[in-house]
Amino acid sequence: MESIKKLSLPVLLIATGASAILQTIAQAVLNTFYDRSGYPVPYYVGQTSFDAAKLEGWYASMEAAGTLDVYRQTQLVDFAFIAATALLHVSLLVLVARLLPEGPWRRAGLVAVVIGLLAPAFDVLENLMSFIALAEPTQVAPAVAVVYSSFASLKFLCFFAVYLWVPVGLVAALALRKRAAVPAVQ
């Protein structure tokens, strides 16, 4: 935990800014592919349906439109977004942890770094399940749909935790530093 103090704040700020730009670009490219694929529902709806028949129906609509292969490509492009997200999460969460004083708040910040890495890890697992489902898009096994949606739900839960923690961690860092700077009242 002491080694986090050795990380330069300017370097962490630059890394966070650069990774945010990279993640934004990756998200834009990914959104373009989703749009081109004609995926008939918002991606988060499709990813959390837990329903093989619905997946089959959505795949059938893209097959009929001739865009199912674009959707398969979208799953590959998603890996660039996943990598960019992992970089953003690590740099941002380490920055927040670095701003926190040593003790329980910094330990919580370091736990957040792990959770931040779980989001892209679950996204990778979700994509792998998607490829299994896409191998037979007209006969998606119900268990595949459940596992696919479970990984997606865990991914979204981790994203939620990260984006909730960042403002909480920043406010805590500010408050704790301010309190440490104020002399105790006698």
Side-chain angles (χ1 to χ4, degrees):
M1 187 133 84
E2 188 66 30
S3 63
I4 196 168
K5 289 173 73 174
K6 295 178 184 175
L7 296 172
S8 161
L9 284 176
V11 169
L12 285 171
L13 285 168
I14 291 168
T16 300
S19 60
I21 291 167
L22 181 63
Q23 200 251 9
T24 300
I25 292 167
Q27 179 74 64
V29 171
L30 181 61
N31 288 345
T32 299
F33 270 82
Y34 264 112
D35 291 344
R36 285 184 40 226
S37 76
Y39 199 75
V41 296
Y43 68 89
Y44 53 86
V45 172
Q47 291 175 359
T48 59
S49 72
F50 292 89
D51 189 318
K54 286 181 181 178
L55 288 173
E56 290 168 359
W58 296 325
Y59 294 161
S61 72
M62 288 184 288
E63 183 67 46
T67 60
L68 188 59
D69 282 338
V70 175
Y71 181 70
R72 285 185 178 100
Q73 293 170 359
T74 302
Q75 300 307 297
L76 292 172
V77 170
D78 193 22
F79 285 106
F81 170 76
I82 292 167
T85 297
L87 288 172
L88 176 59
H89 283 184
V90 168
S91 61
L92 178 60
L93 293 167
V94 168
L95 173 63
V96 172
R98 171 67 174 78
L99 293 172
L100 291 162
E102 288 186 48
W105 278 97
R106 183 170 287 169
R107 285 191 295 278
L110 295 174
V111 169
V113 174
V114 174
I115 293 170
L117 286 172
L118 286 174
F122 285 129
D123 204 354
V124 166
L125 294 171
E126 169 208 312
N127 276 16
L128 295 176
M129 293 307 297
S130 178
F131 286 124
I132 292 170
L134 286 166
E136 287 292 334
T138 60
Q139 298 177 350
V140 177
V144 169
V146 168
V147 173
Y148 167 72
S149 291
S150 296
F151 286 141
S153 297
L154 289 167
K155 168 191 75 175
F156 289 127
L157 179 64
C158 291
F159 269 105
F160 177 76
V162 165
Y163 297 128
L164 178 63
W165 168 252
V166 169
V168 167
L170 290 173
V171 169
L174 183 63
L176 292 167
R177 289 187 182 280
K178 187 174 183 178
R179 186 172 74 181
V182 174
V185 177
Q186 300 291 330

